Amino acid sequence: MGITLPLALFEQAKRHATKDEPALLSYVHEFTSDVSPLVLYQKAKDAFSGERFFWQNPEKTLTLAGFGVTEQFLAQDKQKDAYVGLEDRIRALKVRTVTNATEKQTGPLYFGGFAFDPERETGKEWQVFKDALFYLPLFMVTKKKERVFLTVNVVIYPDDETNKFEAVQAQWEKIANAAVPSLEIDTLVSAKELDPDAFLENAAEIVSLLQGSEDLHKVVLSRRMGLRFGHQVDSGAVLEQMIKTQNSSYFFVLEKGSALFFGATPERLVEVSDGEVYSACVAGSAPRGKTEAEDEKLGNELLTDAKNLREHRYVVDMIEDTLRGFTEDLSVSSEPVLLKNRDIQHLYMHVKAKKRADVTITEIARALHPTPALGGLPQQMAKAIIRMKETDDRGLYGAPVGFVNMDFEGEFAVAIRSGLVVDSLGILFAGCGIVSDSVPAKELEETRMKFQPMLRVLGGTEL
């Protein structure tokens, strides 16, 4: 898995650079043998622990593993919009980039996530992520179906010598030849649902608000589960367990020092590729059955349940209305179908459109977030109520996580079925949509069901 110095590209980058404005050399190499991004992510633990990310789409047609940070975008000025800030950073980087990349999802791209609500004060557990954190990785392994590529991103100054890139080559060789570390999630010492009584009280108050308002239709209320481990949790072990125990999901892991944000989410927010825009309408929830017959019965009940269908229609209408402002030739699948995960099934519809030429994926993500599935309806009114009722910052939970390239294409999922671990302490997140006929006790049970996937990943027992 060796790589060779791209001498011509290196010299071009040097000519492109100035003392004050260095160039970015983004070199792409295609492997001829079968290479696993997951294995390389794990091998990079010793060299780049705290500086790694992983992404895989539900179809397993795209996997990204990044380690090392050539540049990061950290949005910490609350007076500035994080989406606009990331766009500005990308535009500034693009004009000083030299690359041989020809395949999408290779070459320079940023991976990370935005905060759910940048208008509220950042919680102490989310401090390292701020309002947004995105990495331009030193090394990124891309697997597209059966083809595998390595991207190396290096900052080049006019007086750099070839030994700079040779040192990076040596780093890569060390990772490629390293042994795979033993992977085991440390013993889960305790798992405790936090403030269930407060959730029930807030849910009842929101139901009253909904019943007394003609304008407010839905508010998504979230809650937490606190976890404690014996030692710091290994992100590679968490990733391996997610892949083993979940299906039909986006898998994501984002490290920042001793903090780890991870999840297996069923929900795409937006994908932009070759001028096409894709989104998904996911809402409504039911448990999976213990037998095939019970599972079919629960699924059929979900497909005909008035409350869940109404929640899903809110999502469909909002996504359709929002995308019309950025696209043409928009189409939505005709009726909901079931999206089945191991523990939960949802109502699902697919959206496709042609992107207008002047539109970026970050603009679309900003406008869509949060959809009624994660925030409520109307969007701003629901966010204001969430701010009042939830005492804790959601951080990256429920927000866009994914990647964007220099042409503002990429993909964002919604970071649900997720958790945060800092050192040996963890938090799991779960939410549910409150509508006018919601029963708070049933909504509490729904959130317990939504804790289950990540609790199982981390070694917990059935709730």
Side-chain angles (χ1 to χ4, degrees), residues 207-256:
V207 168
S208 295
L209 281 174
L210 288 157
Q211 290 174 346
S213 173
E214 294 183 0
D215 300 319
L216 184 65
H217 302 293
K218 177 183 177 182
V219 177
V220 178
L221 194 61
S222 73
R223 68 189 192 101
R224 297 176 161 207
M225 173 178 283
L227 310 174
R228 186 163 61 87
F229 300 87
H231 299 90
Q232 186 172 344
V233 173
D234 186 324
S235 70
V238 171
L239 182 54
E240 196 170 70
Q241 282 299 113
M242 285 197 297
I243 292 172
K244 281 181 181 177
T245 59
Q246 299 299 309
N247 57 13
S248 303
S249 298
Y250 290 91
F251 298 113
F252 66 88
V253 164
L254 179 61
E255 295 182 332
K256 174 65 170 172

Side-chain angles (χ1 to χ4, degrees), residues 140-353:
M140 184 177 71
V141 183
T142 303
K143 184 169 186 179
K144 298 176 65 176
K145 297 184 179 177
E146 301 308 313
R147 300 177 71 186
V148 184
F149 304 85
L150 171 68
T151 298
V152 184
N153 294 307
V154 184
V155 174
I156 301 294
Y157 288 86
D159 56 353
D160 279 340
E161 301 295 334
T162 56
N163 59 358
K164 181 171 189 175
F165 197 88
E166 288 164 356
V168 175
Q169 283 180 272
Q171 267 188 307
W172 169 254
E173 292 294 338
K174 188 175 180 180
I175 292 168
N177 295 324
V180 178
S182 58
L183 298 172
E184 187 175 346
I185 296 176
D186 196 74
T187 303
L188 181 61
V189 177
S190 64
K192 181 182 179 182
E193 296 179 59
L194 303 178
D195 298 322
D197 291 339
F199 176 87
L200 289 169
E201 183 179 332
N202 285 334
E205 290 174 358
I206 290 170
V207 168
S208 295
L209 281 174
L210 288 157
Q211 290 174 346
S213 173
E214 294 183 0
D215 300 319
L216 184 65
H217 302 293
K218 177 183 177 182
V219 177
V220 178
L221 194 61
S222 73
R223 68 189 192 101
R224 297 176 161 207
M225 173 178 283
L227 310 174
R228 186 163 61 87
F229 300 87
H231 299 90
Q232 186 172 344
V233 173
D234 186 324
S235 70
V238 171
L239 182 54
E240 196 170 70
Q241 282 299 113
M242 285 197 297
I243 292 172
K244 281 181 181 177
T245 59
Q246 299 299 309
N247 57 13
S248 303
S249 298
Y250 290 91
F251 298 113
F252 66 88
V253 164
L254 179 61
E255 295 182 332
K256 174 65 170 172
S258 63
L260 165 65
F261 184 55
F262 62 94
T265 175
E267 189 166 345
R268 169 194 282 154
L269 182 66
V270 60
E271 178 186 2
V272 175
S273 180
D274 293 325
E276 301 282 353
V277 177
Y278 306 90
S279 188
C281 308
V282 181
S285 305
R288 298 296 305 274
K290 292 182 172 59
T291 65
E292 190 173 327
E294 183 188 14
D295 192 58
E296 184 177 355
K297 177 176 179 291
L298 289 167
N300 287 335
E301 288 173 353
L302 179 60
L303 286 167
T304 56
D305 180 76
K307 172 185 175 292
N308 281 293
L309 286 169
R310 187 165 73 255
E311 280 194 63
H312 188 257
R313 177 44 57 182
Y314 291 152
V315 176
V316 175
D317 290 346
M318 182 269 189
I319 290 178
E320 190 173 358
D321 290 346
T322 302
L323 287 182
R324 287 196 189 282
F326 299 99
T327 64
E328 300 168 348
D329 299 334
L330 186 142
S331 63
V332 183
S333 49
S334 57
E335 59 185 22
V337 296
L338 295 173
L339 176 64
K340 293 177 179 280
N341 299 107
R342 175 169 175 171
D343 300 279
I344 311 169
Q345 45 192 328
H346 302 283
L347 298 173
Y348 169 88
M349 288 173 67
H350 178 71
V351 183
K352 181 181 178 182

